[in-house]
Amino acid sequence: MSVTSRYREAWEGFWREAPEEPGGVFWDADPKLTAAFHLALFEPHLADPGLALVDLGCGNGTQTRYFADRFPHVVGADLSAAALDHARRADPAGQATYRLLDAAEKGAAETLHAELGDTNVYMRGVLHQCEPDDRQSLVDGIAALLGERGRVFLVELSEAARPVLGALAQSPAGPPPKLAPIFRHGIAPGEVADDAVPAYLRTAGLTILASGELPLVTTEFAPDGTRIELPSKWQVATRVE
């Protein structure tokens, strides 16, 4: 199964219009506020830090470049060519490599695994943006990328994020400027039940090694000047415990 053409085109349209400057996209927070906290939770569970790290759903590559300073081989993968164009322009030195990938298509993930071998995978806030019918296929693709030695760090908005986003979207002044394009392009965040993510992992043959809660930091601010943070849950999983 692969993503629908409507879904792919929605992301292409979003990234073609997205600003180039750092922090111009709603979730494009400074890695010191995002990936750094996630890596501190992820690293203790890595069986082999020398494996290639795949940043799945890398977007414009902000977090990818952070990981590229800390791992020997980092691949930013996304299903949007326009997103990867942003990532490559922001990485003129080629710290990371970038690949067009529909990880919900089993053959695509298996092909990348055949090229890279077992990989560690980082995925932030991608499942809730997927079409519901593609979510299990995406996690199956992650399992294919991990192979026997890889680990995945997966962080997703929790159910508690829905009322927060709803309040932002329905504000009398309209949604915040950085949230509005997401709704306009038809990629509004969807809800993933808190107990669904562990179920997807188990169905893919993965064992959860650790889990917890951590706010997902955005680049947008509330009218009172406080940064908008969304409740999220994270999991570290592997094929073999």
Side-chain angles (χ1 to χ4, degrees):
M1 182 187 296
S2 62
V3 297
T4 64
S5 59
R6 184 212 64 79
Y7 177 70
R8 188 189 301 274
E9 282 306 309
W11 278 109
E12 290 292 351
F14 174 85
W15 282 112
R16 280 194 294 266
E17 294 182 11
E20 295 282 346
E21 69 266 15
V25 173
F26 183 68
W27 54 80
D28 191 31
D30 188 320
K32 293 177 183 176
L33 302 176
T34 50
F37 287 98
H38 297 153
L39 185 57
L41 297 166
F42 192 22
E43 275 190 313
H45 300 284
L46 295 177
D48 186 351
L51 299 179
L53 176 74
V54 177
D55 180 7
L56 194 55
C58 69
N60 61 359
T62 298
Q63 315 304 319
T64 317
R65 294 187 296 279
Y66 176 86
F67 290 125
D69 283 336
R70 291 155 178 83
F71 291 92
H73 184 195
V74 174
V75 178
D78 204 283
L79 60 84
S80 167
L84 295 176
D85 288 342
H86 276 271
R88 292 186 180 104
R89 287 194 295 270
D91 186 10
Q95 291 177 275
T97 57
Y98 301 93
R99 292 285 292 267
L100 190 67
L101 179 73
D102 173 4
E105 185 177 347
K106 184 179 180 181
E110 291 177 343
T111 297
L112 186 57
H113 178 265
E115 176 185 331
L116 299 176
D118 291 357
T119 68
N120 294 312
V121 174
Y122 173 77
M123 191 171 81
R124 178 177 68 114
V126 175
L127 269 181
H128 75 273
Q129 295 283 14
C130 289
E131 301 284 3
D133 289 346
D134 284 330
R135 289 171 183 161
Q136 184 62 61
S137 297
L138 176 57
V139 179
D140 292 345
I142 290 172
L145 290 170
L146 297 183
E148 298 299 324
R149 296 179 295 153
R151 303 285 190 268
V152 58
F153 185 92
L154 186 154
V155 58
E156 287 295 327
L157 298 183
S158 68
E159 293 176 24
R162 184 175 184 178
V164 179
L165 286 167
L168 291 171
Q170 296 165 19
S171 166
K178 294 177 187 177
L179 189 59
I182 300 172
F183 292 111
R184 187 172 68 250
H185 285 282
I187 50 176
E191 181 179 317
V192 179
D194 291 345
D195 59 359
V197 178
Y200 290 139
L201 292 167
R202 288 192 295 269
T203 299
L206 300 178
T207 297
I208 296 172
L209 301 177
S211 61
E213 299 182 12
L214 191 70
L216 198 65
V217 176
T218 78
T219 61
E220 192 59 274
F221 294 84
D224 64 2
T226 58
R227 185 185 293 272
I228 295 171
E229 298 183 351
L230 301 173
S232 72
K233 293 180 179 289
W234 58 269
Q235 328 265 342
V236 176
T238 181
R239 186 178 297 277
V240 180
E241 187 172 0

